[in-house]
Amino acid sequence: MSANAPAAVDPKLFRDVLGHYPTGVVVVTGRDTDGEVLAMVVGTFSSVSLDPPLVSFMPMKTSRTFEKMQKCSSLCINILGGEQEDIVLRVAQRWENKLDGIDWFPSPSGDPVLSDSVAWIDTTLWDTVEAGDHWITLCEVRDLAVTNPVSPLLFFQGGYGSFVCTSLMARMDHEILPAIHAAHSARSQVEELASSIGCEVTVFTAVSVDEMATVLSVTGAGVDREEGLAHRIPMVPPIGDSYVFDQDGDAQERWIAKLRGADETVKAVHRARLAFVRDNGYLISFLPAEGSAAYDEMREATRRYESGRLTPSEERSIRASIESSSVDYRLRDLDDHEIYDVGSLVLPIRDPKGGHSMTLRLGQLPSRQTGARINEWIQQARTVVEVLEQ
């Protein structure tokens, strides 16, 4: 090897270093000469030129889909939103019929525009340049529009997400004022509940599909608020079932899909809880042998989440900590005479619009209680929910 030749670059190191620079995620669509609908996920999309209006993307040379796309009279580039990771996975994992079951409408050129995508760009191929194991594909823009102005989907540090800081992902404070007012109008009843049971009682509201925030928290005598969850918590299973149960099937499955690597048994537990709270109006979890220490890792994870700007790797770590909690979420019948250690009780609260954006949570509950006593707690909590719903 020549003394001036560059040293070989480790492919793993190359991907890791470049992975620290975020790239936008798009789905390129088209129709071949036989009318087949084509779709391909690309993470190398970029604006190139204003005069003429050009954009680019860089498919791999081995892409069979792009081989067909080179013969298309037009292509449509769909800029995806932060909530469309499931679309990416479905398109990327299929060999054919890639848009089956995915809602779309035709662009002016007739190519698929994915519903809920941030924007679409109708193009024609302008030039294709060879670049190592990829093509640099230049496309001339013919038409374009923004259809859903939300945070875009990015690929960063090996994961997909919108990666907008917590304060921007949440609704503005004034948008959750109705929840704040409702909670504080029932403050005396919430305080009485916490005092009579000797626990922490918190009212949460959903501030986005990914996050809940505390609007009121009170504790009974001798109960430490610092032992509870943070004021902002991510909706990662098991957190969020009291909100998600009222959403459509797709939203529920997106919530379940946040359980990265979980087996079907675990997912089945959370699906069963969604059905249970819909039918019964409450959910209960139980402590394992280590008692309240089972919440330590989850509590710390929510503190880290609340701290502010997070990298994708930090978000994955937080999600994994919440998922790995040893708290027992399996459903069981309460026997009046049996003794239980309850981790939490949660009850959804109907809002003025008829949805269930608020949640009443009882935590740090007294240990070693009979099923009869726990049923009394549930009835006491139902009474407070009725006040909150007025």
Side-chain angles (χ1 to χ4, degrees), residues 46 48 55-59 66 70 75 125-129 135-139:
S46 180
V48 176
V55 295
S56 72
F57 64 91
M58 290 178 256
F66 182 66
Q70 288 179 295
L75 296 174
L125 282 172
W126 196 72
D127 196 8
T128 301
V129 180
W135 297 109
I136 299 174
T137 305
L138 298 167
C139 299

Side-chain angles (χ1 to χ4, degrees), residues 43-118:
T44 52
F45 171 72
S46 180
S47 170
V48 176
S49 167
L50 187 60
D51 185 18
L54 297 176
V55 295
S56 72
F57 64 91
M58 290 178 256
M60 292 189 67
K61 283 184 176 179
T62 55
S63 171
R64 292 184 292 178
T65 299
F66 182 66
E67 184 178 351
K68 295 180 180 180
M69 283 184 170
Q70 288 179 295
K71 302 172 185 177
C72 293
S73 59
S74 61
L75 296 174
C76 185
I77 296 167
N78 292 262
I79 299 175
L80 299 186
E83 296 300 316
Q84 292 185 292
E85 179 183 349
D86 60 321
I87 300 294
V88 169
L89 298 177
R90 289 160 71 181
V91 172
Q93 291 170 358
R94 294 173 176 173
W95 290 103
E96 55 186 12
N97 303 320
K98 294 190 175 185
L99 297 187
D100 279 4
I102 298 174
D103 291 336
W104 61 272
F105 58 89
S107 72
S109 294
D111 299 317
V113 175
L114 306 185
S115 298
D116 297 327
S117 57
V118 174

